[in-house]
Amino acid sequence: MTMTMTTASVAWAGNEMTNSTAVASNKAVFLIVDGIPADVIERVFTPNLDAIAKVGGYTRAEVGGPLNDPAETPTVSAPGYMSLVTGTWANKHNVYGNADLAPNYDYWNLFRLAKAVEPPLETGIFSTWTDNRTILLGAGLADAGGVTIDFVADGFETDPQRFPHAPQDRHIQAIDRHVAAEAARVIEQQGPDLSWVYLQYTDDVGHALGDSPELDAAVEVMDQLVGTVWSAVQARAATQSEDWLILVTTDHGRDLHTGKDHGGQSERERTTWMVTNSQRLLPSFYQRPAIVDIYPSLARHLRIPVPASVAAALDGRSFIE
């Protein structure tokens, strides 16, 4: 990357706000692109991320929670996703790996917040990994609030007829392309208020080949897919009276020696990044924000009142004013 509603008495994480009403014309989409450390994203040519950053900003960020603390969180994908969508570390959301998942749904995710506080808000998820919706968000589960996602594009990794297994997981890259195209189509045509886009292939390449020309090439393709979504956001904003936020991040870095592994607490595994078009960034955005800061920032942009009990449990603070 070449860098240069209803009225209610509520509390924002880190701020106080009373008698606020959500504004339906504020929209947000966040993209998680898997397993790309900051040094790679800063080195590889990513013109679409650069274009978003030119409007808003780019920063190094971090995952993994406080070191040597009960909240320390493995630098693994599902814990990273869960930290983003709940604004909490693993000692609260209880996701410590990618298998045998047993989330603690007492900590409301963004989609539950949106539906509980402002039921008319529409949500979408466009994901290479179905567990993001069915387990991490707990869509439809009573314990997770019985939330329904309005627009869904996932499950493709279990469809071998449309996406037959290919060497070096190339079918995952094909799924990523389809996911990005579906996200772009729905965003431009339907304009969900809150959307999550997840693209996986870069992590697959990292595990197979580590730091390599192939990883760089996968990052370049990922940037093209981000561009597909960004173009849809711009097209939608050009024809509607809507204030669109796009935020792109990753879930973890990679090990220093080979780039094939992650999960520990080394500096490179913990060091991630964020790109956004927001023009309301606080100085804290440029001071190594954590992945848990994204939740209150998205809520701030969407102007969703966060109930005091939910806000009190958040580990993050908004970097959007």
Side-chain angles (χ1 to χ4, degrees):
M1 185 175 199
T2 306
M3 297 311 308
T4 42
M5 215 160 245
T6 54
T7 301
S9 178
V10 301
W12 292 100
N15 302 95
E16 296 297 325
M17 186 185 80
T18 58
N19 297 328
S20 176
T21 302
V23 178
S25 61
N26 281 31
K27 312 270 186 173
V29 54
F30 66 93
L31 295 83
I32 302 177
V33 293
D34 206 316
I36 307 172
D39 59 278
V40 172
I41 209 71
E42 291 168 1
R43 175 174 49 76
V44 175
F45 181 57
T46 54
N48 293 292
L49 290 178
D50 291 350
I52 297 171
K54 187 175 181 180
V55 177
Y58 166 87
T59 189
R60 284 196 169 196
E62 68 177 28
V63 297
L67 286 169
N68 303 313
D69 184 275
E72 185 175 293
T73 299
T75 56
V76 177
S77 292
Y81 314 154
M82 201 65 172
S83 291
L84 191 160
V85 299
T86 65
T88 67
W89 298 115
N91 62 317
K92 294 179 181 177
H93 63 60
N94 198 46
V95 174
Y96 285 90
N98 293 333
D100 300 321
L101 301 173
N104 182 350
Y105 296 124
D106 289 342
Y107 297 90
W108 286 19
N109 66 62
L110 270 167
F111 294 80
R112 183 175 184 176
L113 173 72
K115 289 295 188 178
V117 177
E118 294 291 342
L121 295 183
E122 293 187 322
T123 58
I125 186 167
F126 311 89
S127 173
T128 305
W129 195 43
T130 309
D131 286 359
N132 285 337
R133 172 176 58 87
T134 58
I135 300 179
L136 298 187
L137 296 183
L141 299 180
D143 287 349
V147 174
T148 298
I149 309 298
D150 299 288
F151 301 96
V152 175
D154 64 13
F156 309 112
E157 73 275 18
T158 61
D159 187 349
Q161 291 189 329
R162 292 185 66 187
F163 298 98
H165 185 88
Q168 299 183 341
D169 279 351
R170 284 286 183 180
H171 64 293
I172 298 297
Q173 188 172 62
I175 292 172
D176 282 351
R177 291 183 184 277
H178 181 68
V179 165
E182 282 298 291
R185 180 184 64 81
V186 172
I187 286 169
E188 184 169 357
Q189 295 179 6
Q190 305 293 332
D193 299 282
L194 171 65
S195 297
W196 176 6
V197 181
Y198 167 63
L199 306 177
Q200 177 181 319
Y201 183 64
T202 44
D203 191 49
D204 291 6
V205 175
H207 282 295
L209 301 171
D211 295 310
S212 61
E214 290 82 359
L215 177 59
D216 290 359
V219 171
E220 291 178 353
V221 172
M222 174 280 299
D223 179 73
Q224 294 169 13
L225 302 185
V226 170
T228 297
V229 177
W230 172 231
S231 294
V233 167
Q234 292 177 294
R236 174 81 184 186
T239 60
Q240 305 292 326
S241 297
E242 297 168 349
D243 181 2
W244 276 87
L245 171 72
I246 186 170
L247 189 147
V248 190
T249 192
T250 193
D251 51 346
H252 55 76
R254 313 204 73 82
D255 76 279
L256 179 62
H257 300 293
T258 68
K260 290 185 177 182
D261 301 316
H262 58 86
Q265 297 293 340
S266 71
E267 182 67 13
R268 192 178 190 227
E269 289 168 293
R270 290 175 58 86
T271 302
T272 59
W273 49 273
M274 299 179 192
V275 171
T276 181
N277 70 327
S278 177
Q279 297 181 325
R280 297 164 46 205
L281 296 171
L282 295 167
S284 59
F285 177 77
Y286 299 101
Q287 297 165 1
R288 197 176 169 100
I291 198 167
V292 294
D293 296 327
I294 293 174
Y295 179 118
S297 301
L298 292 173
R300 169 68 70 181
H301 173 81
L302 292 170
R303 301 183 186 176
I304 299 174
V306 181
S309 60
V310 175
L314 294 178
D315 291 322
R317 295 173 65 91
S318 178
F319 49 70
I320 291 177
E321 65 180 7

